[in-house]
Amino acid sequence: MGQSAEFGKFLKVMRARLSPEDAGAQESSGSRRVPGLRREEVARLSGVSTDYYTRLEQGRNIHPSKAVLDSVARALRLDAGEQAHMMDLLEHCASSAGNPGPVQKVRPALRQLLDAVGDVPAMVLGRRADVLAGNRLAYLLFTDFTALPAPERNLTRWIILDPSAGALFRDWKTVAAEAVGALRMDVGRHPNDPQTNQLVGELAVHSEHFRQWWAGHRVATRSAGTVRLHHPVVGDLELNFETLSLPDDPDQLLRVYSAKAGSPSSDALTLLSFGEVGADAQAPEPARRDGT
């Protein structure tokens, strides 16, 4: 495995968020000029020398063993998602600029499945949370992604930059921060991707919230949960969501939203389904960001 500057930055941010009390470290003597643990404290907790840990954090070209990385993860109190992200940063680092990836395609059978579950909102998300396809109810609930220019058919971009998303999600900050955390995970798995870099740059330019969350190196892996919405047509809804991995399409996810049977939210979805048709049930294939 190689080494990357992003790996070192991640370790530094994770170290800064921990106090000695949180980490179970014996307090070092002397005043603290920076927040969080000192490098020597992380090194001691990890069972490595301070020099070795310093080289890890500085992005030196060294090759830590899995045992060392596990020890560092324990010392920094990383959760499972953060530890996986740390490994991705180390394993998939790249020294040169990446090339645009292949155009993301949705299998016909998966499109048929979206139609078959037409009584609940469902979408197929690709790399960077690009919206590759969705059913009619998903577009009525959120927005008609098919009406957007191809580079803008991205769920994270819409959540953070579109005012209608801010009005729709009653817990917008939580939803948006988790979307940014998921984008962080994607960057770790696919570093130096031009389309991702363009998206990150656009979000950083236009959103102060995004800049703060991105600087915090937060990652998010929540695949299920609840969202609270205030829809302009049918009012308040509380929906459960499940995000399913697709083994034959490792960079695609199927996200389905549902309401408890007999609940006001279920009635609202039914009412919404009888509303004006706002979008075609299938999204065309997004073009590459370079226009090809």
Side-chain angles (χ1 to χ4, degrees):
M1 292 185 292
Q3 182 58 281
S4 74
E6 281 301 313
F7 174 78
K9 290 177 184 177
F10 177 74
L11 293 183
K12 186 175 182 179
V13 171
M14 295 300 101
R15 174 170 62 86
R17 73 178 183 175
L18 279 178
S19 68
E21 295 77 15
D22 293 335
Q26 182 179 354
E27 182 106 24
S28 301
S29 59
S31 60
R32 291 182 178 271
R33 292 176 296 177
V34 294
L37 293 178
R38 292 170 172 165
R39 285 173 175 169
E40 59 265 27
E41 291 168 335
V42 178
R44 185 169 60 248
L45 290 169
S46 304
V48 299
S49 70
T50 300
D51 177 68
Y52 188 90
Y53 178 77
T54 298
R55 285 188 288 157
L56 278 178
E57 203 170 278
Q58 289 178 342
R60 304 284 184 86
N61 187 26
I62 58 178
H63 308 279
S65 66
K66 185 178 185 303
V68 167
L69 293 171
D70 288 344
S71 295
V72 170
R74 287 193 296 271
L76 294 175
R77 298 293 193 267
L78 303 185
D79 61 27
E82 291 165 342
Q83 185 169 358
H85 180 61
M86 179 185 71
M87 297 298 293
D88 282 339
L89 289 173
L90 192 61
E91 183 176 359
H92 301 300
C93 65
S95 58
S96 59
N99 296 316
V103 175
Q104 301 181 96
K105 297 181 179 180
V106 177
R107 291 180 287 111
L110 192 51
R111 292 184 179 275
Q112 293 173 16
L113 178 60
L114 292 178
D115 288 340
V117 296
D119 56 340
V120 294
M123 295 186 293
V124 177
L125 303 177
R127 291 278 322 284
R128 304 166 295 274
D130 286 349
V131 179
L132 305 182
N135 61 15
R136 171 179 171 271
L137 193 52
Y139 296 145
L140 289 173
L141 181 65
F142 298 110
T143 194
D144 182 0
F145 285 97
T146 66
L148 300 177
E152 298 180 11
R153 295 174 193 161
N154 178 275
L155 186 61
T156 301
R157 183 189 186 282
W158 177 73
I159 288 173
I160 293 176
L161 297 186
D162 196 310
S164 67
L168 177 67
F169 290 100
R170 292 155 63 189
D171 304 299
W172 177 84
K173 282 189 177 181
T174 298
V175 172
E178 288 184 350
V180 173
L183 183 60
R184 264 285 180 198
M185 294 289 288
D186 189 86
V187 168
R189 289 188 292 266
H190 304 277
N192 295 330
D193 175 77
Q195 297 179 29
T196 304
N197 290 343
Q198 181 176 338
L199 174 62
V200 170
E202 181 184 14
L203 294 175
V205 167
H206 295 290
S207 172
E208 173 64 25
H209 285 297
F210 177 84
R211 292 194 292 272
Q212 293 176 359
W213 293 325
W214 196 252
H217 284 255
R218 175 182 176 174
V219 298
T221 58
R222 192 164 68 117
S223 60
T226 302
V227 292
R228 302 189 313 140
L229 308 174
H230 180 76
H231 194 274
V233 176
V234 297
D236 291 343
L237 303 94
E238 185 169 309
L239 303 177
N240 299 319
F241 69 89
E242 295 284 343
T243 308
L244 309 176
S245 300
L246 303 174
D248 290 338
D249 302 290
D251 285 332
Q252 294 183 16
L253 300 170
L254 175 63
R255 181 168 295 176
V256 181
Y257 298 82
S258 64
K260 184 178 180 180
S263 67
S265 295
S266 179
D267 293 341
L269 278 183
T270 300
L271 180 61
L272 185 62
S273 69
F274 287 109
E276 180 181 357
V277 178
D280 189 273
Q282 296 180 353
E285 302 296 343
R288 288 186 182 179
R289 293 182 186 271
D290 60 6
T292 59

